Amino acid sequence: MKHQPDMIQLIEKVLQAAGFAVLTTEHDGQPHASLVAITPSGNCRHLLFATYRGTRKYRNLIGNTKVALFIDGRGMSIPGQREGFVITALGRAEEIADAGLDTALNAHLERHPDLESFLRSTGCALFRVTVGAYQMVRGIDDVRWWTIDDLTDAHG
């Protein structure tokens, strides 16, 4: 696709502008949606979020790592783009282990300093979503899909 470099730049801008996303998880066929604070990393390949370990969200993530994150771009003003689009990131979530926890926690805290007491609590778990694909919807007849490899290969 000839517009892939533009798309990765747009997705990066949206992820930088958006502080929150709706995370969807599933357990035994029952979907669950939650609002989470997000931090993008790794050239759109990863999204960070946190949750308490005692939540349905956490239990769902431990049982099924497949997730979707819905980012609402309808109110965002991004030069060169018409208003009225949403992005969904599809991927797999994993709790971050000790090896990368400090770096990820500091990045998430830098973006969301108001969440410090939550993020530093003993019951909090930090997750990294490895994004496999993005879907952008700009209108009822304008739905596009990109794999993360296609986007990042085009971006360099």
Side-chain angles (χ1 to χ4, degrees):
M1 285 185 187
K2 64 181 179 179
H3 299 294
Q4 288 175 345
D6 294 338
M7 286 299 102
I8 193 70
Q9 290 171 357
L10 175 59
I11 290 169
E12 286 174 341
K13 287 178 184 176
V14 170
L15 293 176
Q16 288 302 324
F20 298 90
V22 176
L23 170 74
T24 58
T25 61
E26 179 274 337
H27 178 71
D28 283 341
Q30 180 62 49
H32 181 68
S34 306
L35 187 65
V36 293
I38 59 169
T39 298
S41 69
N43 195 25
C44 296
R45 287 186 175 272
H46 303 285
L47 297 169
L48 304 174
F49 72 91
T51 186
Y52 284 120
R53 287 184 180 88
T55 62
R56 175 183 296 171
K57 180 186 343 166
Y58 182 84
R59 289 187 302 274
N60 289 357
L61 289 164
I62 297 306
N64 181 353
T65 63
K66 292 180 184 178
V67 298
L69 286 150
F70 178 85
I71 300 112
D72 188 351
R74 292 177 297 167
M76 294 180 186
S77 177
I78 296 179
Q81 294 297 317
R82 66 180 177 169
E83 289 188 25
F85 62 90
V86 295
I87 294 174
T88 301
L90 300 166
R92 292 193 174 269
E94 66 177 332
E95 188 171 354
I96 300 173
D98 294 336
L101 184 58
D102 287 339
T103 301
L105 181 63
N106 289 334
H108 205 45
L109 276 169
E110 184 177 323
R111 184 165 169 102
H112 299 282
D114 53 320
L115 298 179
E116 183 167 10
S117 63
F118 163 60
L119 292 170
R120 294 198 186 277
S121 69
T122 58
C124 183
L126 189 61
F127 279 82
R128 177 185 297 113
V129 175
T130 300
V131 178
Y134 283 99
Q135 176 195 50
M136 180 178 288
V137 179
R138 294 184 183 181
I140 193 77
D141 294 326
D142 190 357
V143 179
R144 299 177 189 181
W145 287 89
W146 296 277
T147 68
I148 194 69
D149 288 336
D150 289 342
L151 288 170
T152 54
D153 288 348
H155 190 58

